[in-house]
Amino acid sequence: QVQLMESGGGSVQPGGSLRLSCAASGYTFSNLCMGWWRQAPGKEREGVAAIDGDGNTSYVDSVKGRFTISKDNADNTLYLQMNSLKPEDTAMYYCAADLALGIGVSGGYCYKEGYDMDYWGKGTLVTISS
């Protein structure tokens, strides 16, 4: 059983930065494909960024060049550095993990767009507003 707990959300002005963290437990962290998803009010949940067991990363087009996903295998922690934040980045952000090995990352998702993940955190709220 993988447990995930996000932190680091908050309210910032447009152009600001936030770093989200996700503490993972219950599985060999380095083997997991992990991702950040978000859900804005009235919209479907979407993948934002993903990183696989080999450290390969992928981003959705809307955050490329602004967001960076990374992980610390020693601390079992996933990060999302978010810079140049925009009002449209406002959403609940979720950390997710998948146990499948060797699936790679694509378009901000583990494996492929829309691929569902095995485990989810409860989310952390990010609000971008002036």
Side-chain angles (χ1 to χ4, degrees):
Q1 183 82 7
V2 177
Q3 295 180 324
L4 304 170
M5 182 175 293
E6 304 94 337
S7 61
S11 181
V12 298
Q13 293 184 341
S17 297
L18 283 173
R19 188 175 81 155
L20 306 183
S21 299
C22 172
S25 62
Y27 199 77
T28 304
F29 180 79
S30 59
N31 291 342
L32 298 171
C33 187
M34 301 196 70
W36 287 98
W37 292 57
R38 66 185 179 186
Q39 187 167 20
K43 295 188 177 181
E44 293 187 356
R45 192 165 54 182
E46 64 172 353
V48 175
I51 184 167
D52 67 12
D54 294 326
N56 299 305
T57 60
S58 179
Y59 301 90
V60 68
D61 286 345
S62 61
V63 307
K64 284 181 179 178
R66 300 189 298 123
F67 290 12
T68 302
I69 188 171
S70 62
K71 62 178 181 172
D72 185 333
N73 290 334
D75 288 341
N76 289 355
T77 304
L78 179 74
Y79 299 100
L80 185 68
Q81 178 67 44
M82 305 187 295
N83 299 328
S84 302
L85 284 161
K86 304 176 180 180
E88 51 263 42
D89 295 318
T90 295
M92 185 71 78
Y93 282 72
Y94 298 90
C95 171
D98 198 86
L99 302 183
L101 298 178
I103 58 174
V105 292
S106 176
Y109 295 85
C110 288
Y111 184 47
K112 64 179 181 179
E113 182 177 348
Y115 180 79
D116 200 9
M117 305 288 275
D118 292 326
Y119 296 97
W120 295 85
K122 294 184 177 181
T124 186
L125 182 62
V126 172
T127 303
I128 313 303
S129 175
S130 55

